[in-house]
Each structure stands twice: as structure tokens, then as C-alpha cells.
């Protein structure tokens, strides 16, 4: 076979664990010896063994003289686990094929250098584009020290998220709504405004046919209006972080602190500053946030340009009405020249609806 054949396998392992390794990258590794796959593995959770460790353990004696395919440059620094570059050398691996290099300053290029200095054959760049996509959340987080933000909207053909009277259930189909849950699974946090909580009382959990990780639920709630009987308060199958402004007083927060799964994050301004929020979330190791609106919250992210990916579901319905809300509220951008440089990545049918994935060009 060829290198791409085995790297595809390693990438499929990495892709399947996106969302469960934060704040580490979702890495996959495959060990091949004499044309046989003798080991494979993925980094399953931060603090756990890296993908190469699992794959080499499975390979046992057959690691010697093997070729190891890994989706990201092996680490060469002592993190919470010993360096994988040293392990590859100690196991007497002959050749290491790497899909893409790690932008993390402690690693960038050092892993490759250490392998080459030890006499291993190293090949870099096999299926690089695909690996960069699997690592997009991690790379953005490492480069910008801010979470990767995916904005989701579900609208009618004319861009409305509800009728003028506020009716919104449902615009898009069951299939489209289910598809959105995949992003709840693959992001560390889901974020909505308190108006969505007041209007829809959402649970914001991941309800996929088989399992799915619940993201941390982040509620933007400047004046702490989230009702104590809301599902995000009474259901503790996911943590809930309520973000409030400076003027919320300590005694107002008391009642919320009785819930173990609830945390109040108080920012330093009267109103919530999205840039400050993203900095605080990154400090708490949140690598990716799935913003499910509503319109005002979406507008506040757009206003500061804090959008990396947009998932748009559009139903074949026309709602109309100048007072019916559209997907992005707020003041909007002042001129087209400051519009986000989005690129459409894919358009597909989901049931009767269409799904558009668009991303901001790499920074
Ligand atoms: N109104 C529509 C949506 N509306 C989504 C709501 O704003 C809110 O995120 C949901 O109610 C979440 O509830 P839960 O977490 O599933 O319990 N979302 C969609 O994809 N299509 C629509 O038509």
C-alpha cells in the first residue's frame, strides 16, 4: 500500500475523538510493519497516553523496524506524559510519517529534529490539509489563545429565525436539528443568551441516537435572569456556567451556588465583553465554543469578529415580516469592507433543508 492509505486510518481515528481531548489535540496513530497493521491508537483524553503510546503498546515487539503514521508531529517536551519522540526512538521504529506539524511553540519542529538526529527516517506532510482540518480547533486555540467559535443558525429561506410573533418551532427539520447535535458533541461548550433560555428553556445537551458528549452550557446573562427552574439549572447532566456583568451583587448569586453543576463567571464590565469572555474561557481550557444564538448573541460575536466557522441550516420556508428576527441581530457591521472573510466549504441537503458550512480564511 502507500503512505496515504495508512494515514487515512490514523486521521479517521483522530477525527472520531474531536471534542474529547481538550485542551490537547485529537491525534491518531497507526503502526505498520512488513505491510501489516500491527498497532493503532488515539489520544483519548487530556492527561492520558498519547496516540503513539497506545499504538506502540499494541504493536509490542513489532514496533521495532516499523513505520509509524501519526496525524500530528510527535511531542518532544515533557507534558503530563513523557515525550513521544523519545518513545519512538527507544522502540527502534525505523520510519515516522507525520501529516502536519504542531504550532505549539514547545513542539514546533523539535519532535521532527529529535527523530532525525536519532537516525529515524521522517516524512512530513502526508494528507496535511486533512490533518489541519481535524486539528482546526486546537491550532486556532494555540495560535490565538482564544477558543475556536462555531456560530450556528437555523433559518427560513429568507433568513428568519422566528415569526414576528416569536414562533420558531420548528423552522428546520428533525434531521437538521439532529445534525446540529454533532457540533454539541465536538465542541467543549455550547453558548446561548438568557433570552433563549427564557423563551425555549433548552436543555442544550447532546442527544444523538447513540451517546455523545455533553458540552459545558454557557449562558450569557448580564443581569442574572436565568430562572432557577430552567432545565440548565435543574438538569445536572452537563455543567452550566452563567456569565454575568459587573453589577450583579453577591447576594443575588447565592441561590445559584447551591447547584454543584452551576458556576457563575462574573466579568469586569456592566455588559458582557465578548473578547474578555473568550479570554476567560481559554484560561479555563475551553478550546471550542458552539454558539447557538439567539440573534443578539450572534450579533455580539460578529461585532468583534469572533467567528471561525458558521453552520447555517436553511429550511424551504418563507416567513417574511420586517419585525421577524433574522439570525444575526445587534448593530451589524457598518460597511461591507469589514465583512468576515468567509469561504463556503460545503453545501448539502439534510432532509428537506440545506446545510452550509463556511469558515473564516485561516488567520
Ligand atoms: N427553532 C429552531 C432551533 N432553535 C433552537 C433554540 O434556539 C434552542 O437552541 C433549542 O431550543 C435547544 O433546545 P434543546 O437544547 O434541544 O433542548 N434550532 C434549529 O436547529 N431549528 C429550529 O427550527
Amino acid at each position: 500500500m502507500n503512505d496515504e492509505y495508512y494515514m487515512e486510518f490514523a486521521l479517521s481515528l483522530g477525527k472520531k475523538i474531536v471534542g474529547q481531548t481538550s485542551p490537547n489535540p485529537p491525534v491518531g496513530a497507526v503502526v505498520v510493519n512488513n505491510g501489516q497493521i500491527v498497532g493503532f491508537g488515539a489520544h483519548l483524553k487530556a492527561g492520558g497516553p498519547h496516540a503513539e503510546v497506545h499504538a506502540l503498546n499494541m504493536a509490542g515487539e513489532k514496533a521495532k523496524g516499523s513505520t509509524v503514521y501519526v496525524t500530528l508531529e510527535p511531542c518532544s517536551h515533557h507534558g503530563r506524559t513523557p515525550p513521544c519522540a523519545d518513545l519512538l526512538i527507544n522502540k527502534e521504529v525505523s520510519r515516522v510519517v507525520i501529516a502536519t506539524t504542531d504550532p505549539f511553540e514547545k513542539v514546533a519542529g523539535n519532535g521532527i529534529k529529535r527523530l532525525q538526529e536519532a537516525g529515524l527516517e521522517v516524512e512530513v506532510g502526508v494528507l496535511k490539509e486533512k490533518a489541519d482540518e481535524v486539528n482546526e480547533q486546537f491550532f486556532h486555540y494555540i495560535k490565538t489563545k482564544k477558543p475556536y467559535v462555531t456560530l450556528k443558525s437555523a433559518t427560513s429561506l429568507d433568513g428568519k429565525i422566528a415569526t414576528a410573533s416569536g414562533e420558531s418551532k420548528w423552522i428546520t427539520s428533525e434531521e437538521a436539528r439532529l445534525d446540529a447535535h454533532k457540533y454539541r458533541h465536538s465542541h467543549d461548550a455550547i453558548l446561548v443568551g438568557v433570552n433563549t433560555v427564557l423563551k425555549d428553556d433548552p436543555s442544550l445537551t447532546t442527544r444523538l441516537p447513540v451517546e455523545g458528549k455533553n458540552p459545558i452550557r454557557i449562558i450569557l446573562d448580564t443581569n442574572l435572569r436565568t430562572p432557577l427552574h430552567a432545565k440548565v439549572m435543574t438538569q445536572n447532566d452537563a455543567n452550566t456556567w452563567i456569565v454575568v456583568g459587573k453589577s450583579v451583587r453577591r447576594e443575588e448569586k447565592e441561590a445559584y451556588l447551591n447547584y454543584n453543576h452551576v458556576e457563575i463567571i462574573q466579568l469586569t464590565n456592566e455588559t458582557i465583553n465578548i473578547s474578555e469572555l473568550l479570554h476567560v474561557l481559554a484560561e479555563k481550557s475551553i478550546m471550542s465554543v458552539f454558539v447557538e444564538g439567539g440573534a443578539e448573541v450572534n450579533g455580539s460575536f460578529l461585532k468583534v469578529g469572533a467567528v471561525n466557522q458558521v453552520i447555517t441550516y436553511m429550511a424551504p420556508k418563507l416567513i417574511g415580516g420586517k419585525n421577524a428576527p433574522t439570525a444575526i441581530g445587534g448593530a451589524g457591521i457598518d460597511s461591507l469592507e469589514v465583512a468576515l472573510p468567509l469561504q463556503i466549504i460545503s453545501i448539502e441537503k439534510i432532509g428537506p433543508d440545506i446545510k452550509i458550512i463556511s469558515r473564516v480564511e485561516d488567520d
Side-chain angles (χ1 to χ4, degrees), residues 71-222:
T71 58
L72 184 65
E73 177 180 4
C75 63
S76 59
H77 64 287
H78 278 267
R80 287 181 273 198
T81 52
C84 292
D86 296 354
L87 181 67
L88 289 158
I89 294 163
N90 299 340
K91 293 280 186 181
E92 298 180 83
V93 167
S94 296
R95 181 169 176 258
V96 180
V97 181
I98 297 164
T100 191
T101 53
D102 189 322
F104 191 31
E105 69 271 4
K106 281 190 188 146
V107 181
N110 298 341
I112 292 167
K113 194 154 140 278
R114 187 171 301 182
L115 293 170
Q116 289 171 329
E117 283 166 356
L120 280 77
E121 189 188 334
V122 179
E123 171 110 26
V124 183
V126 174
L127 298 184
K128 175 179 167 32
E129 291 70 30
K130 285 190 176 180
D132 288 347
E133 171 141 7
V134 169
N135 287 292
E136 64 184 350
Q137 294 181 7
F138 174 70
F139 284 171
H140 176 82
Y141 178 76
I142 292 298
K143 286 181 198 164
T144 66
K145 305 277 183 284
K146 285 190 286 186
Y148 182 90
V149 173
T150 295
L151 206 62
K152 172 231 165 188
S153 70
T155 72
S156 57
L157 272 188
D158 56 329
K160 304 292 188 181
I161 60 170
T163 63
S165 60
E167 190 185 343
S168 65
K169 293 189 169 69
W170 292 95
I171 296 173
T172 58
S173 61
E174 180 110 25
E175 298 96 311
R177 298 200 307 272
L178 185 61
D179 188 78
H181 280 241
K182 291 180 204 159
Y183 296 93
R184 295 185 177 190
H185 167 74
S186 66
H187 285 69
D188 293 337
I190 183 167
L191 184 149
V192 296
V194 64
N195 290 334
T196 294
V197 173
L198 293 168
K199 180 170 163 294
D200 295 337
D201 191 20
S203 57
L204 300 178
T205 50
T206 301
R207 300 186 301 279
L208 289 167
V210 179
E211 301 291 335
K213 170 183 69 57
N214 286 334
I216 291 170
R217 299 175 292 202
I218 298 176
I219 316 294
L220 300 196
D221 186 1
T222 306

